[in-house]
Amino acid sequence: MSAPEHHTDAAAEEVTRIHPRSVLGRLPRYAAGKPPVVIEGLQSFKLSSNENPLPPLPAVLQAIGSQTAVNRYPDPMTTTLRTELAAFLGVPPEDIVTGAGSLGALNQILAAFAGQNDYDAPDEVIYPWRSFEAYPICVGLAGAMSVQVPLLPDSTHDLDAMASAITDRTRVILLCTPNNPTGPALAEQEVRGFLAKVPRNIVVVLDEAYVEFVRKEEAVDGLQLYRDYPNVIVLRTFSKAHGLAGLRVGYSISRPALTEHLRVSATPFAVSQIAEHAAVTSLQHIDEVRERVQTIVDERNRVVDGLKHLGWEVPEAEGNFIWLALGENTPEFAALAEQRALSVRPFGVEGIRVSIGEPEANSRFLELCATYTKGPGVS
């Protein structure tokens, strides 16, 4: 085999004349959770990506292994999955649009309803900040402008400020419940009060990627909101509770007036037949999924209780993660966790998100917190 040819200076000069869209220079880069470092004598644990620490159910793994027709394109309408979901959720299958994870489903929503129109001012998308770090990337790539509304001191959405941020250019509003990375879930009545202030021509997306982990009694019910408000879209995923993050299966639920546009913007064949079959099988074993989710919730509660016992202030945790508002001490804490073969997710100098992992990982994290004296609320 001959050695690969190197680009000539002339060819390199030609490449430099190719300019990407200017928006790319203004967007943050998505920072995926890093894998843990290997420390001799310690088992490494990844607590940086909000992954389910448990593998898919045995029946799901068997279903994945049984799929052989990968030489064929999948059903672009994911009919089997939508039918199964419709029966499970009690909604018409026509109201469900699948995507490559909830992120893929979100991109389809933004492509349909927000972007650069035929005038100088782009559409606006309002969302809380800090929240899911992909939001500004998705909004910017859609051609829209981000309107970030700071969270309240308790790490919850400032819904009054979000309502005040609405302008004639607002097209989409994103609500993240539980909020990633801080943890609190929105309450039913506060969201209904907020929706009463939102014009019906604005799409409101309720991102419920972690809904299965919520135990807050007054938490918002996305499905009921979608039934009551024609401008609401609910986002969900199989990545977290079902442990299928690597297969990329998500979906949105909305009324026909919205889904007709989402089917146009949907990425063809976004959900593979392997992913569809795995998701369907997992739904058919939902009681086992719920049992696994409860074990994670129990571990989350143990971690939260342990932190509070140590004197740490922790925001309401309704996802499969907790948030430490460490401020300028964030990089130091992340480095200390790394020395203990734990990978956590630092956010600049704001704080650290720690996913709930295996019991041994959670205990090691609590041991670190017991020795660290610069945490929020720790004297």
Side-chain angles (χ1 to χ4, degrees):
M1 235 179 127
S2 60
E5 295 182 10
H6 293 285
H7 293 295
T8 64
D9 290 341
E13 184 178 349
E14 287 294 326
V15 171
T16 61
R17 296 178 184 175
I18 299 174
H19 298 288
R21 293 169 56 200
S22 60
V23 69
L24 292 183
R26 303 191 298 270
L27 296 179
R29 283 171 169 77
Y30 185 84
K34 294 182 179 179
V37 297
V38 177
I39 304 293
E40 187 175 354
L42 285 177
Q43 181 179 352
S44 298
F45 295 102
K46 185 182 180 187
L47 307 179
S48 56
S49 294
N50 287 354
E51 296 156 330
N52 191 322
L54 301 171
L57 295 170
V60 175
L61 292 174
Q62 184 177 0
I64 291 172
S66 70
Q67 296 300 294
T68 58
V70 292
N71 56 309
R72 304 296 184 185
Y73 287 112
D75 171 14
M77 297 294 289
T78 49
T79 306
T80 303
L81 175 56
R82 289 190 305 108
T83 301
E84 195 76 28
L85 271 172
F88 173 66
L89 299 172
V91 305
E94 294 77 17
D95 288 4
I96 301 171
V97 180
T98 57
S102 58
L103 183 56
L106 173 62
N107 283 328
Q108 293 167 181
I109 293 169
L110 294 173
F113 299 111
Q116 181 70 52
N117 284 301
D118 298 329
Y119 47 87
D120 293 335
D123 295 338
E124 293 178 348
V125 178
I126 299 172
Y127 53 88
W129 198 252
R130 174 167 293 274
S131 193
F132 184 30
E133 63 181 312
Y135 286 165
I137 302 171
C138 296
V139 171
L141 289 177
M145 178 178 292
S146 286
V147 178
Q148 298 180 344
V149 177
L151 298 172
L152 292 168
D154 62 356
S155 297
T156 61
H157 290 40
D158 189 342
L159 292 177
D160 288 337
M162 293 181 74
S164 297
I166 295 172
T167 71
D168 291 341
R169 291 172 17 214
T170 304
R171 297 293 176 268
V172 177
I173 300 174
L174 308 178
L175 304 179
C176 188
T177 179
N179 188 52
N180 175 21
T182 61
L186 291 165
E188 179 84 13
Q189 291 308 311
E190 66 177 342
V191 176
R192 287 184 178 273
F194 172 74
L195 289 172
K197 304 174 185 177
V198 177
R200 292 299 179 94
N201 64 326
I202 296 175
V203 172
V204 179
V205 178
L206 203 64
D207 187 344
E208 293 189 323
Y210 302 91
V211 66
E212 294 90 349
F213 301 94
V214 175
R215 296 296 181 268
K216 180 177 180 176
E217 289 186 5
E218 67 273 23
V220 64
D221 181 348
L223 291 178
Q224 191 56 52
L225 286 186
Y226 126 86
R227 294 184 180 102
D228 293 344
Y229 297 88
N231 59 327
V232 166
I233 301 178
V234 177
L235 269 185
R236 293 190 176 181
T237 182
F238 283 83
S239 294
K240 312 301 180 182
H242 293 264
L244 298 178
L247 289 183
R248 314 309 301 130
V249 191
Y251 57 98
S252 63
I253 311 164
S254 57
R255 305 272 279 274
L258 301 182
T259 58
E260 66 173 310
H261 304 299
L262 294 178
R263 298 206 189 284
V264 176
S265 63
T267 303
F269 311 117
V271 178
S272 71
Q273 59 266 64
I274 293 177
E276 179 178 18
H277 197 52
V280 168
T281 305
S282 198
L283 278 176
Q284 292 170 343
H285 293 77
I286 192 61
D287 288 342
E288 295 174 63
V289 172
R290 287 171 174 154
E291 288 176 7
R292 289 185 167 204
V293 167
Q294 188 57 47
T295 65
I296 295 171
V297 170
D298 291 343
E299 277 295 292
R300 179 191 72 194
N301 294 341
R302 180 173 76 89
V303 171
V304 170
D305 290 344
L307 287 170
K308 290 180 177 179
H309 179 74
L310 293 170
W312 288 68
E313 295 178 0
V314 185
E316 174 187 83
E318 292 291 342
N320 65 339
F321 55 90
I322 58 99
W323 172 254
L324 302 179
L326 284 159
E328 63 183 12
N329 297 316
T330 296
E332 178 187 57
F333 187 93
L336 290 173
E338 187 176 85
Q339 293 171 14
R340 289 160 174 78
L342 299 175
S343 67
V344 296
R345 180 66 177 87
F347 290 83
V349 290
E350 296 176 57
I352 282 181
R353 187 193 68 199
V354 183
S355 306
I356 300 302
E358 297 83 346
E360 181 183 344
N362 303 330
S363 295
R364 193 184 303 170
F365 166 67
L366 285 172
E367 291 168 3
L368 167 59
C369 291
T371 63
Y372 194 75
T373 59
K374 302 176 186 178
V378 177
S379 59

